[in-house]
Amino acid sequence: RLPFDTPRIIGKVGVSGPFENVTVRVDGRFDDATLYGYQLGAGRGVIDVDKNAVHVRDGSEVKVGTGLVRASGTLALPGKQLTLDARALDVPLAEVLRPAKPPERPTGVVNARATISGTADGKGPLVVEASGSVRRAQLYSVKPPADLEVNARVVVRDDVVVLERAHAAAAGVAARVRGEVFVKEERLKLAISAEATTNALAWVPDVPTEVTVRDARFEGTITGPYRSVRVIGEAQSGGGVAYGVPFTDARGQVTASASEVTVEHLAGSIARGVIEQLRPIVVELDGNRRIRGAVRARGLRLDELKTPDGEALPLAGVGDAEAWLSGPASSPTVTFAAATSGLTISGERLDKA
C-alpha cells in the first residue's frame, strides 16, 4: 500500500505489454487527496504502472489552495524508492506551512521548483531540495517589503522534519534557519541567524516607523509548540534613529511571541551618550498594540536631539536624561526627565538646568 491516501480517479485506463510485465496506464482526474499532512484539491494524474514501478508522467498536476503543483517522477515498487520533480505555481504560503499549524494564517504565494528523493514508506527519509520565491509574504507579524528568494534542503521522516539548510534573502536582508520540526509532538527547535544592511524593522509592521536601524544582526532560536512559538536571541545594530534621536552600536536581547516583543539588556550610544536600560521595552501585539519601557542616557549631546519628524531642536549642551515610553506603539507618549550643564536654548546660555 502507498504511504498516502489514494483518491478515486475517473478517467481512461489502458493495458499493454507482454503478460509477464503488463503496463497499466491511467489518465484521469480526482477530487481530493492528502499527502504527508497536506490537503490537496482536484487534479489530474497521468500514471504508468508496471511490476517494477509507478511512473508519474508529465501532465500530472494538482490544486493546492488557489495554486497548482505539477509533478513527474518514479516510485520503485521494490523498496518504495521515490524520485520526483515538482513545480509549485502561486501556491499560498499558508498551504505550504499547513503541517506546521501556525497560530495565525500566513499570507503570500510561493513559486518554486523541488526535487524529492528517498524512501516513500511513510517513515522516510525523504530528501527535498527546493528553490524559488515568495511574494507578498507575512508570517508571525513579519512582512518583508520585497519578494523573498528562498532555497532549502529538508529531510522528512515519520516523526521529524530536519531543516538542514534554509536560506531566505531580499534586498539588503539575508537569513538562515536550521533545526528540527517534531511533527507528532507539534513543536519546533530551530536556530536562526540574519543580517540586514537596510532597515530590518520595516519587516515588522507593528514597529513604529519613527524607529529605524541599519547594519543589524540577529542570532537566536525559534522554539516551542506550534501554537506558542518563542523567538529568543541577541540583536545588534550599527546605528539608527529612534523618534528623531540618533543611536549607534545598539545591542540587546529580544524575546518575541505571538502576543508581545520584549527587548532587555539594552546598551549602546545615543546622541553620543551612553544608554542604560531602566525597564524592559515591551511591544504588545494583541489588541491595541501598546508599548512600554524606560531607558537612561548619560552624557547626551543636546544638539544631536531632533523631533520625531527629524527637525533639529534649538538646544545645545550636555545632559543626562531618562525617557519613559507608554501608549499606542504607533504614537507613544515619551516622558523625559533631564539634568544638563552648559545648556543653551535658541542661542541663550542658561548654564545648568
Side-chain angles (χ1 to χ4, degrees):
R1 186 182 186 277
L2 296 176
F4 46 83
D5 290 346
T6 51
R8 184 179 66 171
I9 297 177
I10 300 175
K12 296 183 294 184
V13 178
V15 180
S16 62
F19 289 155
E20 64 271 16
N21 189 17
V22 172
T23 297
V24 179
R25 164 157 287 203
V26 179
D27 185 349
R29 296 195 170 272
F30 54 89
D31 288 333
D32 297 291
T34 59
L35 175 64
Y36 290 103
Y38 288 100
Q39 182 63 50
L40 309 179
R44 178 192 179 199
V46 182
I47 301 169
D48 290 345
V49 182
D50 57 36
K51 68 179 183 180
N52 297 314
V54 177
H55 305 278
V56 180
R57 302 302 187 186
D58 290 340
S60 298
E61 60 186 32
V62 62
K63 293 282 289 183
V64 181
T66 55
L68 187 69
V69 173
R70 293 177 175 150
S72 62
T74 299
L75 174 67
L77 295 179
K80 296 181 181 177
Q81 291 298 303
L82 176 69
T83 57
L84 192 70
D85 294 322
R87 184 180 180 188
L89 302 171
D90 291 336
V91 174
L93 181 60
E95 295 299 328
V96 174
L97 298 177
R98 176 188 286 270
K101 301 178 181 178
E104 296 181 9
R105 182 177 173 84
T107 62
V109 294
V110 176
N111 287 275
R113 293 182 180 273
T115 60
I116 305 168
S117 60
T119 306
D121 60 357
K123 298 179 181 179
L126 286 176
V127 178
V128 181
E129 295 265 7
S131 62
S133 64
V134 185
R135 295 184 288 115
R136 303 187 302 274
Q138 181 162 353
L139 175 65
Y140 291 117
S141 298
V142 175
K143 185 177 184 180
D147 292 352
L148 281 173
E149 296 297 321
V150 297
N151 68 80
R153 176 183 169 89
V154 179
V155 178
V156 181
R157 297 182 184 274
D158 180 33
D159 57 352
V160 62
V161 176
V162 180
L163 277 70
E164 292 188 349
R165 181 192 74 246
H167 294 173
V173 180
R176 292 162 299 282
V177 180
R178 55 183 173 81
E180 296 83 32
V181 179
F182 298 94
V183 179
K184 290 185 177 179
E185 300 175 23
E186 298 190 348
R187 65 182 179 89
L188 306 175
K189 184 182 179 182
L190 305 174
I192 181 172
S193 61
E195 57 274 336
T197 56
T198 56
N199 177 29
L201 295 182
W203 287 45
V204 187
D206 296 308
V207 173
T209 56
E210 292 85 359
V211 182
T212 63
V213 297
R214 67 174 189 276
D215 300 327
R217 293 181 58 84
F218 179 82
E219 298 279 346
T221 59
I222 305 173
T223 60
Y226 292 168
R227 296 288 178 179
S228 55
V229 170
R230 288 170 63 84
V231 180
I232 302 175
E234 299 294 326
Q236 301 178 10
S237 171
V241 178
Y243 301 102
V245 182
F247 61 84
T248 57
D249 300 323
R251 56 195 179 277
Q253 178 178 294
V254 178
T255 302
S257 67
S259 60
E260 66 180 31
V261 177
T262 302
V263 180
E264 299 178 282
H265 312 300
L266 184 64
S269 175
I270 186 166
R272 303 191 189 183
V274 177
I275 299 173
E276 300 173 6
Q277 189 165 24
L278 299 177
R279 295 282 178 85
I281 297 174
V282 179
V283 180
E284 299 173 0
L285 303 180
D286 294 336
N288 295 323
R289 312 272 176 166
R290 301 180 68 81
I291 188 172
R292 63 182 185 276
V295 296
R296 175 187 291 130
R298 299 186 184 277
L300 286 171
R301 285 282 303 270
L302 301 185
D303 56 343
E304 296 277 340
L305 302 181
K306 294 180 173 60
T307 69
D309 295 328
E311 297 292 329
L313 295 173
L315 301 175
V318 178
D320 298 337
E322 293 182 1
W324 295 76
L325 289 166
S326 63
S330 59
S331 57
T333 299
V334 184
T335 303
F336 283 100
T340 65
S341 62
L343 176 62
T344 299
I345 301 177
S346 298
E348 183 176 350
R349 186 178 178 85
L350 302 180
D351 194 26
K352 295 183 179 180

